Amino acid sequence: MECPKCSGVSYMAEEEFLQVLETEPVKVVTKGVYVCKLCTDRFTRIHVEDIQAKKKSEEKAVQSSAKDYRQARQDEIAETLRFF
């Protein structure tokens, strides 16, 4: 996130749950408190996230990281067997 005051890089210091919107699809409203690494200014942003889309993206990330791990492990085993 970019700082609105100095355009520096910031990080999320706190996140607070505000509300669940019972729409289709279900959405969650949260408030993030950010701190700028350059000027140490604090600012907030409201986020609205679709729960189903977030869940699907997290599942894809887990599946891809598991696939990458399996591939790396197979490559490691194949490299070890080449010495024999």
Side-chain angles (χ1 to χ4, degrees):
M1 178 74 56
E2 188 176 288
C3 176
K5 183 176 179 181
C6 70
S7 299
V9 177
S10 62
Y11 63 92
M12 184 181 287
E14 299 174 28
E15 187 175 34
E16 180 182 344
F17 167 78
L18 296 178
Q19 183 178 2
V20 173
L21 301 176
E22 297 292 335
T23 60
E24 186 58 41
V26 178
K27 297 181 181 189
V28 174
V29 180
T30 57
K31 178 177 83 172
V33 177
Y34 294 87
V35 178
C36 178
K37 292 181 180 180
L38 190 59
C39 68
T40 65
D41 192 31
R42 294 174 65 91
F43 58 96
T44 61
R45 294 290 181 264
I46 301 295
H47 302 281
V48 179
E49 294 182 81
D50 177 6
I51 291 179
Q52 292 299 323
K54 187 173 182 178
K55 190 175 187 180
K56 287 179 184 177
S57 68
E58 287 176 357
E59 288 173 358
K60 286 181 183 178
V62 168
Q63 289 173 353
S64 67
S65 65
K67 184 179 178 181
D68 292 342
Y69 173 77
R70 283 192 303 269
Q71 183 62 40
R73 186 69 178 136
Q74 287 174 352
D75 292 345
E76 182 181 310
I77 291 170
E79 187 67 32
T80 304
L81 293 176
R82 286 185 195 162
F83 291 112
F84 293 113

